């Protein structure tokens, strides 16, 4: 009983480190820009680097798990995240980029391997445990985004110490995970052998689901990177802007509570997915044309973003015939989706650089949401991938 409680706590604290170290940058991004005289495109790289790491480091996670086991691999993930956070204490731009990329590699390992661990240890509670750790990611990511700016202003401790301070939670996670190192469990075969159904890359339905997830992550990470700056341009204080970004992230967790029980009753998710995506587009226009309602738009946009993400993930299971085909589709969606998402923060920064306004970026987010509506409608049909081509 005690060992199970320690395992659950360990999973919980791994989850708390899989979002906040990246999303916590946005509320203090203006201070980072001022410290290093960065252009918006250069600043956007701080969000782009982890996304590239998510896409490129995922095969590394499976290789590590096959060689060392799940427990040691997840321990390495926490060590990488901790090292990246510690590097933020040093005033050096290349080191800031390098540390951020290292954090991305650590998060990628955690993202890939945590579901396999849950499937092994909680086979009859996969949905509950997955919802719990996704909720933990969103709550801690949102809370940290809300407090990181006021923390940086407290007795002038600065953005570096404010960002590095999250390493205390990482350290706690390392300590709690230490008892698991006596195990060397390999990941379940279907989560590492994704070559058996490589034909998913040649199926239009697989691309529709991939583009739904990719475009949703594209506008989500633009908001993760730049929402506080967008709000500040509309005369909202940095303190309020950080709180609104925290609300955006926290709201993205709410659909997990609502949609998971609902999905079991819906055979066709076309209308639900496309409606939520269109509502997301409306929120982008709301931030552009009615910024006085920024809190409402931020919360609603966060909800729509989280809902489309959960629906897209559910399609990976609902549109496939077996776990190996699902793993293959998941790998495809993660690789292509994060590569699409990685272009978002830098492109948004470049648009602001060129137009000296965040209006083109909000139009870009709205267009991406319209794309989500189209691919969500197609991917939401009650059909499945072909077994063989």
């Amino acid at each position: 009983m005690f060992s199970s409680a320690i395992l659950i706590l360990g999973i919980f604290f791994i989850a708390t480190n899989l979002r906040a170290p990246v999303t916590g940058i946005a509320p203090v991004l203006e201070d980072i820009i001022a410290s290093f005289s960065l252009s918006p495109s250069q600043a956007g790289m701080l969000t782009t680097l982890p996304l590239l790491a998510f896409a490129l480091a995922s095969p590394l996670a499976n290789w590590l798990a096959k060689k060392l086991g799940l427990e040691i691999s997840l321990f390495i993930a926490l060590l990488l995240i901790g090292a990246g956070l510690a590097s933020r204490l040093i005033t050096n731009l290349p080191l800031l980029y390098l540390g951020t990329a290292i954090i991305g590699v650590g998060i990628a390992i955690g993202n890939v391997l945590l579901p396999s661990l849950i499937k092994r240890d909680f086979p009859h509670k996969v949905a509950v445990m997955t919802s719990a750790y996704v909720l933990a990611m969103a709550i801690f990511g949102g809370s940290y985004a809300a407090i990181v700016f006021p923390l940086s202003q407290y007795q002038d401790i600065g953005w570096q110490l404010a960002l590095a301070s999250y390493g205390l939670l990482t350290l706690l996670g390392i300590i709690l995970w230490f008892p698991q190192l006596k195990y060397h469990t390999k990941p379940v075969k279907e989560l590492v052998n994704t070559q058996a159904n490589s034909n998913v890359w040649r199926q239009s339905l697989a691309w529709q689901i991939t583009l739904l997830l990719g475009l949703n992550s594209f506008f989500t990470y633009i908001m993760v990177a730049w929402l506080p700056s967008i709000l500040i341009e509309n005369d909202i204080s940095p303190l309020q802007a950080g709180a609104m970004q925290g609300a955006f992230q926290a709201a993205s967790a709410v659909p997990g509570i609502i949609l998971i029980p609902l999905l079991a009753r819906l055979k066709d998710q076309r209308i639900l997915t496309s409606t939520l995506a269109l509502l997301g587009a409306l929120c982008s226009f709301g931030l552009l044309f009615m910024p006085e309602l920024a809190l409402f738009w931020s919360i609603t946009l966060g909800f729509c973003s989280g809902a489309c993400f959960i629906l897209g993930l559910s399609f990976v299971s609902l549109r496939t015939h077996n776990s190996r085909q699902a793993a293959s589709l998941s790998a495809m969606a993660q690789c292509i989706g994060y590569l699409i998402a990685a272009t978002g923060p830098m492109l948004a920064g470049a648009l602001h650089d060129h137009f000296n306004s965040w209006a083109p970026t909000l139009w870009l987010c709205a267009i991406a949401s319209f794309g989500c509506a189209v691919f969500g409608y197609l991917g939401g049909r009650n059909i499945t991938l072909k077994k063989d081509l």
Side-chain angles (χ1 to χ4, degrees):
M1 189 70 176
F2 178 74
S3 60
S4 295
I6 292 295
L7 175 60
I8 291 170
L9 271 176
I11 290 171
F12 178 83
F13 275 96
I14 289 174
T16 64
N17 283 278
L18 298 184
R19 181 175 293 183
V22 172
T23 60
I25 289 178
V28 293
L29 193 55
E30 296 297 326
D31 291 338
I32 297 174
I33 290 171
S35 294
F36 296 109
S37 301
L38 301 179
S39 69
S41 297
Q42 290 173 319
M45 275 295 290
L46 291 171
T47 303
T48 294
L49 280 170
L51 295 175
L52 289 173
F54 294 169
L56 302 178
S58 297
L60 169 66
N62 284 326
W63 179 83
L64 269 179
K66 285 187 281 186
K67 294 291 182 182
L68 303 175
L70 286 169
E71 294 80 7
I72 294 176
S73 300
L74 287 166
F75 188 72
I76 290 171
L78 287 171
L79 291 177
L80 289 171
I81 294 168
L85 287 167
S87 73
R88 290 172 172 174
L89 291 169
I90 302 170
T91 307
N92 181 278
L93 183 58
L95 190 58
L96 178 62
Y97 283 131
L98 177 62
T100 302
I102 289 171
I103 288 170
V105 173
I107 291 175
I109 294 171
N111 277 335
V112 172
L113 298 184
L114 204 54
S116 188
L117 184 89
I118 288 172
K119 183 167 184 175
R120 181 201 73 184
D121 290 330
F122 304 95
H124 303 297
K125 297 181 180 178
V126 170
V128 173
M129 288 297 297
T130 302
S131 299
Y133 92 71
V134 170
L135 193 62
M137 286 168 57
I139 289 173
F140 276 77
S143 300
Y144 185 53
I147 67 169
V148 67
F149 180 78
L151 182 61
S152 72
Q153 301 299 301
Y154 179 72
Q155 296 188 348
D156 295 322
I157 68 171
W159 61 267
Q160 291 168 286
L161 187 55
L163 288 178
S165 66
Y166 201 85
L168 294 173
L169 282 176
T170 311
L171 179 60
L172 181 56
I174 289 170
I175 293 169
L176 287 169
W177 196 248
F178 201 78
Q180 308 304 321
L181 297 186
K182 60 187 176 184
Y183 304 110
H184 305 278
T185 312
K186 300 297 188 289
V188 290
K189 182 181 287 188
E190 62 264 25
L191 292 184
V192 297
N193 186 9
T194 60
Q195 298 302 314
N197 283 287
S198 59
N199 63 35
V200 298
W201 288 78
R202 299 194 295 271
Q203 298 195 46
S204 59
L205 179 58
W207 280 101
Q208 289 156 12
I209 294 168
T210 295
L211 289 171
L212 165 63
L213 285 166
L215 289 173
N216 184 68
S217 294
F218 176 84
F219 84 77
T220 297
Y221 279 95
I222 288 177
M223 289 298 170
V224 165
W226 294 114
L227 181 57
S229 298
I230 292 168
L231 297 173
I232 289 168
E233 186 176 80
N234 286 312
D235 298 324
I236 293 170
S237 73
L239 185 64
Q240 289 177 309
M244 288 183 191
Q245 205 233 23
F248 166 83
Q249 292 189 50
S252 69
V254 176
I257 302 168
I258 298 171
L259 288 180
I260 287 174
L262 180 62
L263 282 172
R265 302 179 183 180
L266 289 176
K267 291 185 178 180
D268 186 305
Q269 298 83 25
R270 289 178 295 177
I271 301 301
L272 178 62
T273 310
S274 55
T275 299
L276 286 164
L278 289 173
L279 183 56
L282 178 64
C283 292
S284 294
F285 287 132
L287 287 169
L288 178 60
F289 296 113
M290 300 180 69
E292 64 273 13
L293 298 177
L295 179 60
F296 173 78
W297 302 126
S298 300
I299 291 172
T300 308
L301 187 60
F303 180 90
C304 294
S305 165
C308 288
F309 181 69
I310 288 169
L311 285 163
L313 286 182
S314 73
F315 294 166
V316 172
S317 298
L318 293 172
R319 306 293 176 250
T320 51
H321 292 276
N322 52 59
S323 58
R324 297 180 81 176
Q325 192 177 54
S328 186
L329 178 55
S330 178
M332 172 186 174
Q334 181 159 288
C335 177
I336 301 299
Y338 279 129
L339 287 175
I340 292 171
T343 64
M346 284 189 65
L347 180 57
L351 285 172
H352 182 270
D353 220 9
H354 183 76
F355 292 101
N356 197 31
S357 167
W358 288 113
T361 294
L362 290 171
W363 275 97
L364 182 66
C365 288
I367 291 168
S369 294
F370 278 118
C372 284
V374 172
F375 293 114
Y377 186 86
L378 294 171
R381 292 171 295 165
N382 187 25
I383 57 175
T384 56
L385 296 174
K386 299 174 184 175
K387 289 185 178 180
D388 298 293
L389 287 178

